[in-house]
Amino acid sequence: MDVFRIEGPVRLSGEVSVKGAKNACLPIMAAAILGGGKSSLAPVPNLSDISVFSQLLEQLGCKVSRSPDGLLSVDSTVIDNQVGEYEIVRTMRASICILGPLLARCGRAEVSMPGGCAIGDRPINIHLRGLRELGAQIQLKNGYIIAEAPNGLVGKDIFLGGPFGSTVLGTANVLMAATLAKGRTTIESAACEPEIVNLADCLNTMGAKISGIGSPRLSIEGVKQLHPAEFQIIPDRIEAGTFMVAAAITQGELRLRHCRLDHLMAVVDRLRDIGVTVEPTTNGCVIAGNGPVKPADVTTQPYPGFPTDLQAQFMALLALAEGNSIIVEKIFPDRFMHVAELNRMAADLRKEGPAVVVAGVKKLIAAPVMASDLRASAALVLAGLAAEGTTTVNRVYHIDRGYEKIEQRLNPLGAKITRESV
Ligand code: EPU
């Protein structure tokens, strides 16, 4: 298993290019099932989650290949198996988004029920409710969701909100299924995340008829079939936000290329509020830390609110603020595994229900820490860049799921990170 040894503190400076968005690629790879031919997407990052999802599609009968420069093709001419196996689904929850397209194309899908996860309970009841509304018969058997619609799906007005607001992959599943349903579907309380906009645009390129894209009300006029397409993936806003925090926490200056600031308005707002400079450029931005940050209140919300996927990274940054901050998690109320680890690095964080009180400290001190999930591990790396001494981050396979060769991209900017197999 690999670990990172991170020597700090460092000051980052230089230029870095943001990769294609993992969370846009995964549902769009699933959408390729609907095309019945060879679709291609780019730029697709070289990540373990992408390889695992490729294996899942290959088990269904698809042919998947990725070139070194990030062009990924999915040939879904043949789908001769409709089962998403437990062995794959248990390692990656996003596997659930094959359910809608398989059901719509084949009239049947069997997908292992995803299990628990380090960021808390992650039910899929809303996905199933939405597909049932479209006419699917769904039962749970031996840990598998068995969904059937032998005579096809039928469009309907569906409310897809839940106790924590909209659902990203739930919207993706129902949207993909509705493209081939008979008649019109309306999804009310649809997720508005840029990844869903990217997916809906891709489906329209494949011949779907979706309107209201980017709003909480999606309208889908079902069509008889979709065709393959070539499609562009948006830049990864969470990776971009992580680099922004890297500049701020090291009081450095980074130029981000291939970055959509319009997808990061809530994040930029918080950064400017705490004294970080963010200047737009033609295809990205320049971000500069100006000494210790001011404290802030941060509440995670569905898009366009502050993303839960940057909560841990902001906690690392605010741990060094000149005063007390409050971070409230409104999407995954238990997504706080990083709190205890950051406290091991001399942060002063106190969890109060779905919130954390962050008392700013003057410095962080290196320690051995344990990554628990993708974004928590990013937060530990960021903290390690700023901390005094050598931080060891264990279980870096979590970070490899969502950040391509992060140490090889941070080191040219002034980081001192080595990867070791232990
Ligand atoms: N929820 C339900 N029932 C459902 C579905 C969701 O109650 O059927 C709840 C969840 O428990 C949560 C809230 O609704 O409280 C929102 O969850 P959502 O369904 O939107 O999450 P997701 O679609 O499973 C995606 C991202 C996550 C990201 C969330 C929120 C992908 C592959 N995953 O998950 O990304 O945190 O949206 O923005 O797109 C990550 O990249 O590290 C990551 C975890």
Side-chain angles (χ1 to χ4, degrees):
M1 219 182 282
D2 288 359
V3 303
F4 279 157
R5 308 250 188 247
I6 307 173
E7 260 182 69
V10 294
R11 182 181 174 278
L12 298 189
S13 73
E15 187 171 292
V16 63
S17 187
V18 176
K19 302 283 176 183
K22 164 186 86 81
N23 287 351
C25 288
L26 298 173
I28 290 177
M29 287 169 74
I33 293 173
L34 294 164
K38 186 170 170 178
S39 290
S40 12
L41 353 164
V44 175
N46 186 11
L47 299 173
S48 55
D49 270 11
I50 299 290
S51 318
V52 171
F53 206 83
S54 302
Q55 276 173 37
L56 181 68
L57 293 180
E58 280 166 354
Q59 283 187 357
L60 305 178
C62 298
K63 295 193 177 106
V64 186
S65 64
R66 183 187 173 281
S67 70
D69 60 350
L71 180 73
L72 183 126
S73 66
V74 179
D75 186 341
S76 66
T77 308
V78 176
I79 299 278
D80 52 9
N81 172 31
Q82 292 98 39
V83 185
E85 301 281 356
Y86 174 66
E87 279 61 37
I88 291 203
V89 178
R90 77 185 165 87
T91 65
M92 192 177 61
R93 291 187 51 89
S95 312
I96 192 65
C97 61
I98 60 171
L99 185 62
L102 266 186
L103 179 67
R105 174 161 165 191
C106 308
R108 180 180 170 84
E110 268 185 52
V111 182
S112 171
M113 184 85 178
C117 144
I119 68 178
D121 271 355
R122 294 178 69 186
I124 55 154
N125 56 320
I126 304 173
H127 300 228
L128 302 188
R129 193 177 77 208
L131 295 174
R132 281 194 175 109
E133 296 255 28
L134 292 177
Q137 301 287 324
I138 299 182
Q139 46 169 327
L140 297 180
K141 209 170 159 189
N142 302 331
Y144 279 75
I145 303 150
I146 302 177
E148 288 171 312
N151 300 319
L153 299 164
V154 181
K156 198 163 173 204
D157 292 346
I158 301 172
F159 177 75
L160 216 54
F164 298 96
S166 52
T167 154
V168 176
L169 292 179
T171 301
N173 249 331
V174 178
L175 173 64
M176 288 189 276
T179 57
L180 295 185
K182 288 186 201 95
R184 175 182 290 271
T185 300
T186 308
I187 305 179
E188 194 68 72
S189 195
C192 303
E193 270 69 5
E195 293 76 18
I196 292 296
V197 172
N198 208 205
L199 170 67
D201 284 340
C202 174
L203 290 165
N204 275 353
T205 309
M206 295 170 75
K209 290 192 177 155
I210 305 167
S211 56
I213 297 175
S215 82
R217 180 184 291 162
L218 290 172
S219 179
I220 306 117
E221 195 63 53
V223 295
K224 283 218 157 42
Q225 65 178 45
L226 299 185
H227 53 77
E230 287 177 14
F231 200 69
Q232 284 291 314
I233 301 295
I234 52 171
D236 194 319
R237 64 193 167 102
I238 306 302
E239 186 181 88
T242 304
F243 282 126
M244 288 177 171
V245 175
I249 202 168
T250 63
Q251 299 179 21
E253 181 171 316
L254 292 181
R255 177 177 288 269
L256 303 193
R257 280 189 286 115
H258 191 235
C259 160
R260 292 270 305 259
L261 272 194
D262 57 324
H263 291 166
L264 283 156
M265 302 271 283
V267 176
V268 170
D269 175 73
R270 295 292 76 196
L271 283 169
R272 286 186 173 143
D273 199 48
I274 61 177
V276 177
T277 308
V278 185
E279 292 293 344
T281 58
T282 38
N283 67 352
C285 65
V286 174
I287 172 142
N290 303 303
V293 293
K294 288 185 261 172
D297 290 347
V298 175
T299 301
T300 67
Q301 283 168 331
Y303 190 83
F306 189 93
T308 173
D309 289 344
L310 285 171
Q311 178 255 107
Q313 299 90 318
F314 254 66
M315 195 176 294
L317 176 60
L318 292 175
L320 287 164
E322 291 178 317
N324 295 345
S325 303
I326 298 197
I327 298 183
V328 183
E329 176 54 69
K330 293 233 173 172
I331 309 290
F332 296 113
D334 295 322
R335 193 176 200 175
F336 288 126
M337 299 284 277
H338 42 284
V339 168
E341 299 305 300
L342 288 171
N343 279 344
R344 300 192 76 250
M345 298 178 74
D348 185 353
L349 315 175
R350 196 177 75 247
K351 187 172 169 309
E352 292 278 351
V356 170
V357 180
V358 182
V361 293
K362 287 224 162 6
K363 62 178 182 184
L364 294 174
I365 301 172
V369 286
M370 190 74 82
S372 54
D373 73 87
L374 170 56
R375 309 304 171 186
S377 52
L380 297 177
V381 170
L382 294 169
L385 295 173
E388 269 179 20
T390 305
T391 297
T392 302
V393 181
N394 292 287
R395 300 194 183 163
V396 297
Y397 61 85
H398 286 295
I399 205 165
D400 293 334
R401 297 183 61 162
Y403 296 87
E404 183 177 325
K405 301 191 181 82
I406 190 76
E407 76 283 20
Q408 291 179 26
R409 292 160 73 212
L410 287 173
N411 284 346
L413 307 173
K416 295 177 188 159
I417 306 177
T418 49
R419 182 186 287 261
E420 286 175 23
S421 283
V422 291

